[in-house]
Amino acid sequence: QSVLTQPPSVSGAPGQRVTISCTGGSSNIGTGYDVHWYQQLPGAAPKLLIHGNTNRPAGVPDRFSGSKSGASASLAITGLLAEDEADYYCQSYDSGLSAWVFGGGTKVTVL
Amino acid sequence: QVQLVQSAAEVKKPGASVKVSCRASGYTFTNDAIAWVRQVPGQGLEWVGWISAGNGNSVSAQRLQGRLTMTTDTFRSTAYMVLTNLRSDDTAVYYCARWVVSATYFDFWGQGTLVTVSS
């Protein structure tokens, strides 16, 4: 059971918009720690997609965007492409555990 | 460009130890830290620990304390992770990642090292 809760899967047709939620609690996201997002393509290492809730590293398309409100965060993918099929993980810090924590991951399927 | 290159896959018996290396290039190794994250095949990511490449301070995840040792060789810009008394549930891909100490995320990752624990 992950400290951060994500839906196991989301799907959408090419060109559509999908969102992935990441719900935490009072010892992590809710207490103000930033949320970061990673994309893991099949068979590959995770790649940083969004950091500091809303910031895209260089090279990440602006189709990917992040937001945070209260104890939750979201990742949105607009203009869905076949190459976006991957697992997506949110990550934050938990002060109660004194540990970095990840969500359980969300598999995005492009129909 | 920043690169982290990890050692090859390992197969170990229960009770044995494994050492995984992570060679960094493309940045000043001692300016940042290296985090270790593992992933059981088909499952999610789990933070394992981190070590400062500047001063050697390290923190391990509570569930691995006593079995995990992390070190760095600043001359070789390489970080090492040793996990002892291996169990079958330690079977996972182990990733190293750069942790920029002023931030709380991991910006570059190694390719991963599969550690299989099997009798």
Side-chain angles (χ1 to χ4, degrees):
Chain A
Q1 194 80 342
S2 301
V3 174
L4 305 180
T5 301
Q6 298 180 233
S9 63
V10 299
S11 61
Q16 283 192 329
R17 178 179 188 269
V18 297
T19 61
I20 301 169
S21 60
C22 175
T23 303
S26 58
S27 58
N28 42 71
I29 302 174
T31 202
Y33 289 108
D34 284 341
V35 177
H36 319 294
W37 292 89
Y38 301 87
Q39 177 193 58
Q40 187 175 33
L41 296 171
K47 169 192 165 187
L48 181 65
L49 197 65
I50 297 286
H51 66 86
N53 307 313
T54 61
N55 303 297
R56 284 185 307 275
V60 174
D62 59 7
R63 301 185 296 103
F64 296 92
S65 62
S67 64
K68 175 189 166 186
S69 177
S72 295
S74 290
L75 173 72
I77 311 173
T78 58
L80 200 60
L81 299 174
E83 66 200 48
D84 298 332
E85 274 207 349
D87 293 321
Y88 293 82
Y89 294 90
C90 61
Q91 176 245 318
S92 187
Y93 184 80
D94 190 285
S95 57
L97 298 172
S98 297
W100 280 280
V101 290
F102 290 92
T106 299
K107 182 174 183 60
V108 170
T109 300
V110 181
L111 301 172
Chain B
Q1 70 283 20
V2 175
Q3 274 196 307
L4 300 174
V5 179
Q6 299 184 224
S7 48
E10 302 262 14
V11 179
K12 296 291 183 181
K13 294 192 182 304
S17 299
V18 68
K19 186 174 186 177
V20 178
S21 68
C22 171
R23 187 180 79 248
S25 61
Y27 71 100
T28 302
F29 183 65
T30 51
N31 280 356
D32 298 310
I34 293 291
W36 293 91
V37 175
R38 71 180 181 180
Q39 184 173 36
V40 173
Q43 297 188 23
L45 302 170
E46 177 189 12
W47 171 72
V48 168
W50 64 261
I51 181 166
S52 166
N55 60 22
N57 289 344
S58 66
V59 174
S60 304
Q62 192 167 18
R63 62 181 290 183
L64 294 177
Q65 284 178 5
R67 296 201 296 132
L68 178 67
T69 302
M70 293 169 287
T71 59
T72 59
D73 180 337
T74 57
F75 180 77
R76 291 179 173 81
S77 297
T78 300
Y80 302 92
M81 180 204 80
V82 175
L83 190 59
T84 61
N85 194 20
L86 288 167
R87 309 188 298 237
S88 58
D89 62 357
D90 292 320
T91 294
V93 176
Y94 288 76
Y95 295 101
C96 63
R98 185 177 77 163
W99 170 39
V100 177
V101 179
S102 59
T104 56
Y105 57 88
F106 314 123
D107 61 352
F108 290 94
W109 294 62
Q111 84 276 20
T113 297
L114 175 61
V115 174
T116 302
V117 183
S118 174
S119 54

